[in-house]
Amino acid sequence: MSQQQTPLAIAIAFTQAWTSHDMDTAAGYVAKDITFDGPMNHTTGDKAYMEALTRFANTVTGLNILAAFGDDQQALIMYEVANSPFGPIPSAELLTVKDGKIQADRLIFDTYKLRNAAPSQPQSVGSAE
């Protein structure tokens, strides 16, 4: 995790880490004051972020990166995660990186499968996912 890594390299490495359940490596890419904005969760701080991401990562069984682009401050990565309770979930994530750490994570995905999985129970998906 060199600070010389581009935001794109960080985004890919981070995504590969958490989807393969290597949460220690994933956490190493996250800034202490990270902000997360997603369709089903909003968090501030690395502890809340990693707790939510870990809950979701535990259900992930695979990753297919569809596209990834970046500049000197941000990376946009589109991927599909295989997920044991919900099936494949296509997602797009905009990560803002400063000093080699992810400062902000903005996630977009279709919540239909999650919302309809168990209507009587609230769903907890964060991340990170």
Side-chain angles (χ1 to χ4, degrees), residues 86-120:
F86 307 113
I89 300 175
S91 305
E93 202 160 10
L94 178 64
L95 300 171
T96 303
V97 176
K98 182 179 178 187
D99 299 326
K101 300 284 186 176
I102 300 169
Q103 300 288 319
D105 179 345
R106 188 166 184 194
L107 173 68
I108 298 170
F109 65 91
D110 184 355
T111 62
Y112 179 79
K113 290 179 184 179
L114 281 71
R115 287 181 287 118
N116 290 302
S120 62

Side-chain angles (χ1 to χ4, degrees), residues 46-91:
D46 60 338
K47 183 177 178 185
Y49 178 82
M50 289 306 300
E51 286 173 0
L53 182 59
T54 299
R55 280 193 305 273
F56 181 70
N58 287 333
T59 69
V60 171
T61 59
L63 169 69
N64 179 27
I65 295 177
L66 303 172
F69 304 92
D71 60 23
D72 61 343
Q73 295 179 356
Q74 295 182 317
L76 177 63
I77 183 167
M78 184 173 185
Y79 55 87
E80 186 173 75
V81 287
N83 181 282
S84 56
F86 307 113
I89 300 175
S91 305

